[in-house]
Amino acid sequence: MDADRSLLVACLDLTSLGEDEDDAAIEALCDRAVRPVVSEPAIHVAAVCVWPRWVPTARGALEGSPVRIACATGGFPVPDASLGDRVAEIEAAVRAGADEVDVPIARHLVDEPGALARDLAATREAAGEATWKAIVETGAVQPRTIRTLAVAAIAEGADFVKSSTGKGVEGVTPQTAAILAEAVREAGRPVGLKLSGGVRGVGQATNHLAQVRAILGEGWPAPSRFRIGASALLDALLA
């Protein structure tokens, strides 16, 4: 496996957000995450990303492994529940063992900066020590709003900005990835970037990798600060 493919595997959030999973499917996902390349046991993905109900199963399956558990929570994919309900969902995911929480930003508050800031601050508090990935949903908003939401999340302590939920709207594109990468570059502190939504092919993933390197630096992409969220990409990388 070449160096870029190995890096992309290491930066992968291996995702399963269907409606028909069971314990066996989540355990199989975790097994694959820990050792995607049988002949290269040192290679593993960064995280698995699952629904809240599967966090305990993933916690048991990944015990003792370096693979992290990301949870799609906080009103995912559309944050139209009350803030109290979304906060409670995030807190429950963290108590169940989530290392990371992927949470959609309440983008309907974009024209109410104070309310948006309070909503984001509550998300940060609910996540606690867990890594908070703030989802902009780039396919649902205009370019200027992408930047506004990303900057607002960074200001309230987001650990990552993430492009998309992958549910119902267009996923990441080169144009929207560039806006997010530029917001990360200008953050004034370490912030990660997760690109997701329709990333299935090797060419698409390597193009995103090259773009991130061009904006953030040749050595910037690493699992601690760069992720690609996908369910089918791993098969393509290993083919």
Side-chain angles (χ1 to χ4, degrees):
M1 185 182 297
D2 67 38
D4 279 355
R5 287 195 187 214
S6 294
L7 177 60
L8 288 166
V9 171
C11 292
L12 184 64
D13 280 6
L14 186 60
T15 301
S16 184
L17 295 174
E19 298 302 328
D20 58 352
E21 296 110 335
D22 56 18
D23 284 305
I26 299 303
E27 289 167 356
L29 179 83
C30 294
D31 287 345
R32 193 158 193 232
V34 171
R35 195 166 179 176
V37 184
V38 174
S39 62
E40 299 185 52
I43 295 177
H44 57 82
V45 307
V48 297
C49 185
V50 298
W51 291 116
R53 62 184 175 272
W54 298 120
V55 169
T57 302
R59 182 85 276 160
L62 293 171
E63 191 69 38
S65 91
V67 176
R68 293 170 65 81
I69 299 169
C71 180
T73 186
F76 187 103
V78 181
D80 53 6
S82 71
L83 177 58
D85 286 348
R86 288 183 279 123
V87 162
E89 189 177 298
I90 295 165
E91 291 173 339
V94 174
R95 285 196 304 271
D99 303 299
E100 307 177 358
V101 288
D102 290 37
V103 180
I105 298 172
R107 60 185 184 273
H108 62 280
L109 297 175
V110 68
D111 294 324
E112 303 175 56
L116 177 61
R118 289 190 292 274
D119 197 286
L120 293 166
T123 301
R124 173 70 279 171
E125 184 175 0
E129 295 300 312
T131 297
W132 167 31
K133 303 194 200 93
I135 307 171
V136 175
E137 200 69 290
T138 54
V141 295
Q142 295 298 314
R144 64 182 179 276
T145 302
I146 294 172
R147 177 173 176 80
T148 297
L149 293 173
V151 168
I154 290 168
E156 296 301 331
D159 298 299
F160 277 70
V161 289
K162 175 180 171 180
S163 61
S164 315
T165 62
K167 298 286 187 181
V169 298
E170 182 182 33
V172 68
T173 67
Q175 293 75 23
T176 57
I179 295 169
L180 293 179
E182 288 161 4
V184 166
R185 182 183 62 195
E186 297 164 11
R189 64 174 179 86
V191 177
L193 174 64
K194 179 173 175 177
L195 304 179
S196 58
V199 184
R200 298 182 180 89
V202 174
Q204 187 182 10
T206 54
N207 286 343
H208 282 311
L209 180 61
Q211 182 181 31
V212 168
R213 284 170 166 159
I215 295 171
L216 293 169
E218 183 67 25
W220 192 87
S224 62
R225 55 186 175 232
F226 178 60
R227 302 284 181 84
I228 291 182
S231 55
L233 180 60
L234 183 58
D235 287 334
L237 291 170
L238 300 181

